[in-house]
Amino acid sequence: MQKILQTDDITDNQVLRKRKRKRTETANSENANSALEKAQRDPYSGNAFLPGESSSDEETPLMELSKEELCNKIESLKEKLRSIRKENSRLRQSLVMLQAPSSPSQHASCLS
């Protein structure tokens, strides 16, 4: 009798783990779907391509490019990365300036 109860407990635990795993997988799937829907609604969100950019699906596979074409592509990507970093730095500086208190009286009122 005790062995049957132990077997039932083990089975119940396995069922509970499977249900929890399924809920977690469902939640992860829903989160991924909502992120995809958000990107589709907001074309300027973080993962969306900027106008003029294309996804790698539309481009020629890298294996088919010549060495010279690959070098040109690398240089182009490096330049794009430099400009993006420069813009990010500029935006960060602007954000810091906007977050800084504009006058000492505002700073004093925050302390009270």
Side-chain angles (χ1 to χ4, degrees), residues 63-79:
M63 296 295 282
E64 295 176 11
L65 296 176
S66 69
K67 184 176 179 180
E68 184 177 324
E69 290 171 324
L70 286 172
C71 289
N72 290 337
K73 186 165 189 70
I74 289 170
E75 287 304 315
S76 168
L77 291 172
K78 282 182 180 179
E79 182 59 37

Side-chain angles (χ1 to χ4, degrees), residues 45-92:
S45 65
N47 292 333
F49 289 102
L50 296 174
E53 287 187 278
S54 62
S55 71
S56 60
D57 296 337
E58 300 169 2
E59 296 177 357
T60 308
L62 296 177
M63 296 295 282
E64 295 176 11
L65 296 176
S66 69
K67 184 176 179 180
E68 184 177 324
E69 290 171 324
L70 286 172
C71 289
N72 290 337
K73 186 165 189 70
I74 289 170
E75 287 304 315
S76 168
L77 291 172
K78 282 182 180 179
E79 182 59 37
K80 190 183 290 188
L81 180 60
R82 275 192 290 274
S83 68
I84 289 171
R85 285 181 175 167
K86 191 180 214 180
E87 178 70 6
N88 284 348
S89 176
R90 187 188 67 75
L91 291 171
R92 261 191 234 103

